[in-house]
Amino acid sequence: MPLRYRFTRALPKAASVALVAFALLVLFGPVLLLALFSFNDSAIISLPWEGFTTRWYSEAFSSGEALDSIVNSLNVAAIVTVASVVLGSMAAWGLTRLRFAGRTALAGVHGAVLVVPWLIIGVGGLIFFSQIEWQLSLTTVTLMQIVTTFPLVVAVMSAALVRFSPSLEEAAVDLGASQLQMLRHVVLPQVAPSLAASAIFAFAWSFNNFEISFFTGGFQQTFPVWVFSVLRHSTNLPIVNAASTVIAGAQLLIVFGLWWAMKLMNRRGGGDDVALAEIMTGGMR
Amino acid sequence: MEAATIAGAAVGRRPSRLTRLLRPLAFMTLPTATLIVLFLIPMGILFVYSFEYGPLTGSSGFTLTNFTGFLSEPLYGRIAWTTFQIATIAMLAQLLFAVPLAYVLAYKAGRFELPLLLALVLADELNPMVKIYAWRMLLGRDGLINEALLRIGLIDHPIDALLFSKFAVIVVLSTSYLTYTVIPIYASMKAVDAGLFEAALDLGAGWFTTFRRVLLPLIAPGIFIALLLVYVPLFTDFASPTLVGGTSGYMLGQVVADEVLQNGNLNGGAAMSILLLVGAALFSYVAYRLSRVKVES
């Protein structure tokens, strides 16, 4: 700390606080106002505060489309998360711990999925399913989301596996553990926080995914697609406020809940907060 | 590795050749099959479609008309220019903001470092459509910003240019991707040996010189990773310009969406997708190489 003291003093404390405050303002301010106006008793999202109401919430959750789209998104995200964590962990293990021909090329294909824009994968999926004459539905959305999401799990899990030396695993096998016992008792405890992080990221990627759901969903709407279509026609906006507030609140709770869970697991596994920060930012690399 | 293999052989538990062959198959078959069927084949079909006549043209076989249609029409040149402007300005704005922010996170935040990182991750996890809607609510003609400015008497008429403009798209895109710009730069700053700053200052460099000559070259790889992660999605975005861009903020991503969904011209949409993909690949390659060069030197 004292070593870098003089350089870090270059930016005055007030400036750093202002910078962080501005960042938080642009990142969260709009969403907070959106939440605030979900309680305004007016069909127009505008300033004169007409009084407190919860009717937009009851309308949002009694009418079909909003609720249906949320349920659709949750179903899709649940399947995508499970499938991605399974496929991604398998591939990460294979790509980091096993030797076989074509491994580098295969790792490249996994990486390529993460680089190709979702818009293009969505259009590719649309054309593919029309070619093989599959009706577009939530099933096609789920399939396309699995293929775009599990490489993210591969990235997070590979990063975790690379961090741990395989010597412990070899020792376990040498001492007579079966492959399954070794995976269960040696590998799993080490990578548990990363597994949790992959699950959060996979769920969020699926739940928030707009492009792929939009192109390969046909007439079945996920939540982002529903918001998009309502915004295009600009009707019933306060209902969008209400539904969005619920979703944003749930996402806040999920992120914090899983953060605590990861923290616990990480402590139990002997890691410190630096390791945790690394896992958390792992999805970004 | 070596020692373990020898030890394994010594106790006679070295995996047989067959298991060593089967194990990769057991782990890799399912993921690879998924990638082939749902990624490589669709991308292949997309590629083929981009070189075929559409069903409406009455012709069949190989053609370049899908591409020449876009490349010869000045309208698409203008849209490409708009797209470039929006994506580049949004990227630069984010970098200008992200470098000092990452600096604060890495060196000055202290016990707030992890909570702030978590806030950045949370900002990214919030639904993008919700974020776009929130900005639209703020920026509109009757939106909250105009409303507030009118009330305090700073303006007489609402500012129309706030929404349905390039400006709106830039604001929405910059805030949507900020997490992905800050975190790689932050990570590269964490890896810098702080003693270097002290050395530079001891040798008489001012803080700006220290920043430009010591910190900036060392975090350059982080900046290139941020470019790699953010610029391509910015360039191909179509939800934000559709919802807040109006006619003046029309981008190439919307051309793809409109060709496919409104005009039913799958082949045109495929061709534009391939053009975007080639552009993205070239850009990523250059950014990747630049990040490598900096790491090595």
Side-chain angles (χ1 to χ4, degrees):
Chain A
M1 194 64 204
L3 262 184
R4 55 177 187 241
Y5 179 61
R6 280 193 294 165
F7 181 61
T8 56
R9 211 171 37 183
L11 192 67
K13 193 170 180 192
S16 339
V17 172
L19 199 67
V20 169
F22 183 70
L24 294 177
L25 185 74
V26 294
L27 289 176
F28 297 106
V31 179
L32 286 175
L33 279 173
L34 173 149
L36 185 68
F37 275 84
S38 69
F39 296 106
N40 187 17
D41 198 0
S42 158
I44 312 156
I45 313 292
S46 189
L47 245 194
W49 184 262
E50 304 285 357
F52 179 87
T53 179
T54 53
R55 77 175 153 121
W56 305 121
Y57 286 85
S58 44
E59 272 187 40
F61 291 97
S62 59
S63 82
E65 283 197 340
L67 191 61
D68 284 353
S69 72
I70 292 175
V71 171
N72 286 346
S73 274
L74 288 175
N75 285 335
V76 170
I79 300 171
V80 170
T81 304
V82 173
S84 300
V85 169
V86 171
L87 285 176
S89 307
M90 283 166 72
W93 180 261
L95 292 172
T96 54
R97 289 294 199 265
L98 307 176
R99 332 227 131 246
F100 52 91
R103 195 175 58 132
T104 324
L106 205 50
V109 179
H110 283 86
V113 181
L114 296 176
V115 189
V116 177
W118 281 349
L119 166 73
I120 293 170
I121 297 185
V123 173
L126 174 95
I127 294 177
F128 171 67
F129 289 120
S130 83
Q131 188 76 25
I132 61 170
E133 291 177 6
W134 266 35
Q135 182 82 40
L136 294 178
S137 67
L138 291 177
T139 314
T140 51
V141 171
T142 309
L143 287 173
M144 289 312 286
Q145 285 195 2
I146 289 173
V147 81
T148 47
T149 308
F150 94 83
L152 175 76
V153 178
V154 175
V156 175
M157 294 308 291
S158 299
L161 288 169
V162 166
R163 247 197 330 267
F164 297 112
S165 130
S167 55
L168 272 180
E169 295 146 27
E170 282 156 9
V173 172
D174 287 343
L175 292 171
S178 71
Q179 284 289 310
L180 215 62
Q181 284 173 319
M182 180 266 285
L183 286 173
R184 163 75 186 79
H185 295 289
V186 179
V187 180
L188 188 63
Q190 286 181 321
V191 298
S194 298
L195 216 50
S198 328
I200 312 179
F201 285 128
F203 192 89
W205 268 36
S206 168
F207 193 89
N208 289 340
N209 184 302
F210 167 70
E211 284 88 345
I212 288 169
S213 314
F214 184 66
F215 280 105
T216 60
F219 293 108
Q220 291 192 290
Q221 292 183 327
T222 60
F223 175 70
V225 176
W226 172 73
V227 176
F228 181 82
S229 65
V230 177
L231 287 187
R232 282 194 101 172
H233 304 116
S234 291
T235 48
N236 267 339
L237 288 179
I239 292 180
V240 184
N241 283 54
S244 302
T245 304
V246 171
I247 294 299
Q251 286 176 321
L252 183 90
L253 287 178
I254 290 171
V255 168
F256 275 99
L258 283 165
W259 162 253
W260 281 111
M262 274 167 62
K263 218 169 171 172
L264 271 180
M265 268 189 276
N266 194 48
R267 288 271 157 76
R268 199 167 293 168
D272 54 4
D273 281 358
V274 178
L276 202 55
E278 214 157 89
I279 294 165
M280 207 163 66
T281 56
M284 317 272 153
R285 293 196 198 133
Chain B
M1 187 67 196
E2 274 300 296
T5 322
I6 295 162
V11 290
R13 293 192 47 87
R14 186 181 184 156
S16 72
R17 181 158 296 186
L18 189 66
T19 18
R20 274 195 296 174
L21 220 96
L22 287 180
R23 224 172 256 162
L25 275 180
F27 280 100
M28 297 311 295
T29 307
L30 225 65
T32 309
T34 310
L35 283 180
I36 291 174
V37 175
L38 294 173
F39 177 67
L40 292 179
I41 292 180
M43 286 296 118
I45 294 178
L46 188 76
F47 190 74
V48 172
Y49 258 65
S50 70
F51 291 104
E52 277 181 349
Y53 285 104
L56 303 175
T57 58
S59 318
S60 62
F62 176 86
T63 177
L64 287 172
T65 45
N66 298 318
F67 291 97
T68 50
F70 288 123
L71 297 174
S72 62
E73 172 67 59
L75 171 70
Y76 294 103
R78 281 199 296 277
I79 299 172
W81 174 235
T82 307
T83 309
F84 174 78
Q85 280 179 308
I86 290 175
T88 307
I89 295 173
M91 190 72 235
L92 290 177
Q94 286 183 74
L95 283 177
L96 275 179
F97 189 64
V99 171
L101 189 65
Y103 168 89
V104 170
L105 274 176
Y107 301 129
K108 302 199 64 144
R111 67 197 161 90
F112 294 112
E113 185 178 333
L114 276 183
L116 285 173
L117 265 183
L118 190 63
L120 275 176
V121 172
L122 176 67
D124 176 59
E125 306 289 89
L126 288 177
N127 199 291
M129 226 30 86
V130 171
K131 287 187 276 191
I132 296 174
Y133 172 47
W135 277 110
R136 202 164 110 144
M137 195 184 80
L138 283 175
L139 296 173
R141 190 169 201 279
D142 307 315
L144 296 175
I145 290 180
N146 270 327
E147 225 15 84
L149 288 177
L150 281 173
R151 258 156 210 271
I152 57 173
L154 221 61
I155 51 171
D156 298 329
H157 313 286
I159 309 169
D160 281 323
L162 284 183
L163 189 61
F164 302 126
S165 59
K166 283 181 201 169
F167 170 78
V169 185
I170 291 169
V171 168
V172 170
L173 287 179
S174 317
T175 51
S176 308
Y177 290 97
L178 193 61
T179 306
Y180 290 90
T181 314
V182 174
I183 286 188
I185 299 176
Y186 157 83
S188 64
M189 281 186 183
K190 286 304 271 188
V192 173
D193 176 7
L196 287 175
F197 304 147
E198 196 66 8
L201 293 169
D202 278 345
L203 293 171
W207 73 266
F208 184 71
T209 314
T210 310
F211 170 74
R212 200 171 59 85
R213 303 286 295 275
V214 180
L215 186 60
L216 206 54
L218 287 170
I219 61 166
I223 294 179
F224 288 121
I225 292 174
L227 277 176
L228 203 60
L229 285 177
V230 176
Y231 194 75
V232 170
L234 280 181
F235 205 91
T236 56
D237 199 282
F238 90 100
S240 309
T242 306
L243 292 176
V244 302
T247 44
S248 60
Y250 191 83
M251 293 172 73
L252 287 174
Q254 288 168 278
V255 173
V256 176
D258 288 348
E259 285 296 333
V260 171
L261 296 174
Q262 285 183 10
N263 307 339
N265 179 7
L266 292 181
N267 304 78
M272 182 52 85
S273 301
I274 295 295
L275 286 175
L276 284 174
L277 201 57
V278 170
L282 282 177
F283 176 83
S284 306
Y285 179 74
V286 171
Y288 179 76
R289 286 310 293 259
L290 283 173
S291 73
R292 288 285 118 178
V293 169
K294 289 291 178 182
V295 169
E296 278 153 21
S297 63

